[in-house]
Amino acid sequence: MDILDMTALQLSAAIKKGVTTAVEATEQMLSRIDAQDQTYNCYVTVDAEGALAQAKAVQKRIEAGELTGPLAGVPVAIKDNLCTEGLRTTCSSKILHNFVPTYTAEAVKNLQRAGAVILGKTNMDEFAMGSTTETSAYGVTRNPHNTEHVPGGSSGGSAAAVAANECFYAIGSDTGGSIRQPASYCGVVGMKPTYGTVSRYGLIAYGSSLDQIGPLTKDVADCAAVLEVLTSHDEKDSTSIARKDTDFTAALKDDVKGLRIGIPNDYLGKGLDGEVREAVLRAADVLKEIGAVVEHFDLSLAEYAIPAYYTIAAAEASSNLERFDGVKYGYRTEEYAGLHNMYKKSRSEGFGEEVKRRIMLGSFVLSSGYYDAYYLKALKVKALIKKAFDDAFSKYDVILGPAAPTTAPKLGESLADPIQMYLGDIYTIAVNLAGLPGICLPCGTDSKGLPIGLQLIGDCFQEKKLIRAAYGYESVRGDSNA
Amino acid sequence: MANIISDETIEYVGILAKLELSDAEKEQAKADMGRMLDYIDKLGELDTDGVEPMSHVFSVENVFREDVVTNGDDRERLLSNAPQEKDGMFVVPPTF
Amino acid sequence: MEKQYETVIGLEVHVELATKTKIFCGCSTAFGAAPNTQTCPVCTGMPGSLPVLNKQVLEYAIAVGLATNCDITRYAKFDRKNYFYPDNPQNYQISQLYLPICRNGGVEIETEAGGKKNVGIHEIHMEEDAGKLIHDEWEDCSLVDYNRSGVPLIEIVSEPDMRNAEEVIAYLETLRQVIQYLGASDCKLQEGSMRADVNLSVREVGAEAFGTRTEMKNLNSFRAITRAIEGERERQIDLLEAGESVVQETRRWDDAKGESYAMRSKEDAQDYRYFPDPDLVPITVSDEMLAKIKEQQPEFRPQKMARYKAEFDIPDYDIEIITGEKPLADLFEAAVAFGAAPKKASNWLMGETLRLMKEQEVDAGDLRFSPENLAKLIALTEKKVINSSVAKEVFEVMFAENVDPEQYVEEKGLKTENDEGALKKVLEEVIAANPQSVEDYRNGKEKAIGFLVGQTMKAMKGKADPAAVNQMLRELL
């Protein structure tokens, strides 16, 4: 077996057995990136030198028996909104074109402690605002399944890198579907854990109350293993939760018997592509066949999630992105007349269109006289949405549906109409509002050969149920999918 | 379109957000914001009387640190990203 | 008939809390470090950094709230106040708007007329301080130092209950005493650890509605506050008399020029877009937490005054002055504990200490001499090892550098000469050298003896006991 085709767990096992080494895997992966990333543009920055140095150090520690974890020695790609000490971190924005963090994000540190080798930083929608990875200041990323199509976003570079075998696994962030939707478009596994599970320290914030870091992997077993490593209680993040029961790999059991699965009728209605609908329902049937109890139900409020989300996310983003001002780091305009002109020019030249659009909206909804009508109202709707999910989870262990209404659109088709683009987030957004975990895994392809993703949503802290359902489905998928 | 965004509003929000838009961008922003607000107005259909606004999903409370110094001098690294520095400080246009 | 105006004043007082570290990160708050050497990703707004609340800040804020009779908010939150300025690295300040930690309090002040008056406290909230901007004249730019960025502050917002500068000063003195007694801050106006913004409006006497108010900033001393209040009152009255109206605005006081100017700017929209900070979690103040802080509250000034009255035989005026500054009271009590007679200790504080503090512009909090050394000095004079003028000399040195008086007197040879033979010899010389004065004394001029005592002390280089000199001189004559 070509080592580049291995999953992360397979590679680490092979390294431990001495079949290969972290150095060899890294070298081969770097050659692969070198050979094909001009086509896909998954990476903003490839750190070949650093990766090889890490690989050598990690290999030594593996041989010395110091690193024994299931991901030791495995090369990983990191989304470019996670700070990496000494390695440029841009958020795919011009405003951070030269920013080199002085510290490493806690989630990335957790990976390093587990013996990960960081290959580089992956492309994304600028500041994670977008669903196609077309808003990047460093060029679009192409879908490895069809380069005329987008990889999804905002973690499009990470998802594409996994799909194109340009890394063994990748890390993304998910504010409104930014892990699950590109996983769906690229045919890989992506998971957004319960809010508070992975430390946000070092994640350059978009919507702080919604952002979570999570894995993008080749299969469900890798996903569980990576999530287990990412998870920690971090005292530097006040919203980090001290969780118990985080041995997610223990849930990798092919056993969904009695699992109660609910399919929201709201997630199968208008706007959903027929082929996607069919594939998702087929997946539900598969789960039923292997013992799950599957029912349809009305979730309600689904249509209100998008306006609530865009209000909250834009408001938080408008504040989070104020620090990019040309004073302490990043881009400063060449010529300016006075302080405020410097601010305005640096920011206007440094931010792209979509980011400016959301900053303007966010500043407006928080401005004097509008706070109650927009922001506070959205927080109340968020409470109602959470309640709707609470009710659903009193009846079901897992909610099943699509991750996106369609398969990956063609490049250049989405940005023209922002609202249309926002509507594409309809199945993923509510999960962030309610802080829930969600996983997306491949469940087929459409007639064009583009991947279709199946989304499973769990109640807070119920990642294990999700992993169990996903693993169960994945184990039998091949049989019925073909 | 129910929400008509005026030139003044765009100008004002530009001051708040420290963004300077070209005339074409302003027109675009007016149209975009109007449409987004129309869309957000959909929330008005829901009766939220008596609903507590939810900032945090979980009831995590009282996260504190002890009053102990843990950081030392890290000035050199702090300034390593500065667009302009002088005498260990960041340089900005005059504020006086 | 000319209109009579009443001034209505409310205060926003910022107090830097005496914590070791900043409000949201583990950087030191020590004063006077080289620029930007007490910073980290959190207090410089580095991308991805997150705040975590310093528990001591909350405890101090609650303690101040309890001491100023506030209701403590049992469910409090932090909000972001958004505005762009380079001393504010995130371009938002973490503060409290919607659910501040304390509300509805007040303190009693003494008015000029000798009466008592309550000044209401609308709220106290916790927030982070901004960095410092330094103007670079040479290159016409400003330099930013973030050492102060993230230093914890409480902002105490009063009700518009004050009517003149005296009441304002009395209110500030009261707050300062309370906060110093708590040890929550040293409250130094000059160093900026206590800052007061004055909200002022005028209205015709008898009017019920408030006039339009202005906010005055940059007031670094009680004197500046007093002058700014008077200046702003006149400015507003002049406007009204001229048929114009007062504009609600923020003004900056220029103490050198004795005038203020508006801080208006097109870019300064004053629309702070407050919203709950999603990076921080709510605070719930439990009964236990509250009880514990209550239990730890110190003896405040009124109790201390009463106790001094009962315990120590010193004048009421002394009690008033000494308890007025917590560091003085601490010094006094410690010196007494080291064996100094209360009256003597009080005399030293009321006399020489206050004199030198005034002369050298030293705050009570910055006094250098230890109570132990003060007690030693008092013992030296009581045992007549040194005389009072030598004691004053020694005290000046102690005041400057906290020397051990016993050691110092020994080293410098300042002990009073108790050798009667030596004294007699000097006296005889003085008598021989001043026949006219001797004559005058014998003719009943009492004054002449003073001159002779002085000459003797001079000859003895001050190391004699003047009373003993006086007595022996009379005997000899």
Side-chain angles (χ1 to χ4, degrees), chain C residues 197-444:
Chain C
D197 299 337
V198 172
N199 287 304
L200 184 149
S201 64
V202 296
R203 63 178 169 190
E204 270 189 67
V205 170
E208 278 205 8
F210 290 129
T212 305
R213 70 167 193 271
T214 61
E215 183 180 348
M216 189 73 67
K217 287 187 182 288
N218 194 38
L219 304 166
N220 302 323
S221 65
F222 284 158
R223 183 173 158 271
I225 291 168
T226 306
R227 292 178 66 200
I229 287 171
E230 275 149 20
E232 183 59 12
R233 171 188 155 86
E234 274 171 36
R235 194 187 68 86
Q236 290 190 12
I237 291 172
D238 287 349
L239 280 173
L240 298 178
E241 289 285 313
E244 291 171 50
S245 52
V246 175
V247 181
Q248 184 167 346
E249 63 190 359
T250 303
R251 302 179 66 84
R252 187 178 167 89
W253 177 251
D254 184 334
D255 203 43
K257 290 188 184 147
E259 56 188 44
S260 65
Y261 56 91
M263 294 169 72
R264 250 173 311 173
S265 144
K266 187 173 89 67
E267 293 295 342
D268 192 17
Q270 304 256 348
D271 182 342
Y272 296 123
R273 290 156 288 138
Y274 280 98
F275 74 104
D277 191 330
D279 289 335
L280 288 158
V281 295
I283 297 160
T284 50
V285 180
S286 65
D287 291 345
E288 291 78 33
M289 195 192 287
L290 209 54
K292 200 177 143 210
I293 295 170
K294 269 183 189 160
E295 204 175 281
Q296 289 168 350
Q297 294 287 80
E299 174 193 48
F300 286 106
R301 193 179 180 215
Q303 295 100 289
K304 199 182 272 295
M305 288 174 80
R307 181 165 64 83
Y308 279 21
K309 230 177 181 143
E311 271 180 34
F312 308 122
D313 179 26
I314 58 174
D316 288 355
Y317 180 70
D318 292 18
I319 292 176
E320 174 106 23
I321 298 294
I322 289 170
T323 59
E325 296 266 13
K326 176 80 176 350
L328 282 184
D330 289 345
L331 253 174
F332 171 75
E333 288 181 42
V336 171
F338 278 112
K343 181 74 190 109
K344 298 274 180 196
S346 161
N347 283 347
W348 277 104
L349 293 175
M350 297 296 296
E352 287 304 284
T353 306
L354 289 182
R355 183 180 69 79
L356 290 169
M357 278 169 66
K358 201 173 170 190
E359 222 172 79
Q360 301 176 16
E361 291 181 357
V362 173
D363 279 340
D366 293 333
L367 288 173
R368 294 206 182 128
F369 64 88
S370 68
E372 186 178 7
N373 284 337
L374 178 61
K376 281 184 183 175
L377 183 71
I378 291 169
L380 288 172
T381 53
E382 296 231 298
K383 290 181 202 147
K384 296 199 192 295
V385 177
I386 53 174
N387 64 40
S388 67
S389 58
V390 169
K392 281 182 187 173
E393 260 173 59
V394 175
F395 183 77
E396 286 205 28
V397 183
M398 269 171 56
F399 189 88
E401 51 193 303
N402 189 30
V403 292
D404 178 335
E406 287 172 358
Q407 221 176 322
Y408 185 80
V409 163
E410 194 68 49
E411 278 170 18
K412 300 276 168 181
L414 297 175
K415 279 190 186 169
T416 301
E417 203 62 69
N418 285 325
D419 180 345
E420 287 203 10
L423 178 57
K424 197 169 177 185
K425 195 165 161 255
V426 173
L427 278 174
E428 280 165 356
E429 281 165 21
V430 169
I431 288 169
N434 298 285
Q436 186 58 51
S437 299
V438 173
E439 188 65 28
D440 288 350
Y441 174 71
R442 287 188 172 135
N443 291 335

Side-chain angles (χ1 to χ4, degrees), chain A residues 106 199 233-238 240, chain B residues 63-65, chain C residues 51-52:
Chain A
E106 188 66 14
S199 167
H233 178 227
D234 184 7
E235 291 180 348
K236 296 187 295 302
D237 175 359
S238 303
S240 169
Chain B
V63 176
F64 304 123
R65 25 172 295 274
Chain C
V52 182

Side-chain angles (χ1 to χ4, degrees), chain A residues 100 102 304 332 348 357, chain B residues 20 32 45-46 77 81 91:
Chain A
V100 180
T102 59
Y304 298 99
R332 179 188 286 196
S348 302
R357 194 187 339 262
Chain B
E20 192 173 58
D32 286 346
E45 295 169 6
L46 289 176
R77 286 173 0 123
N81 280 296
V91 178

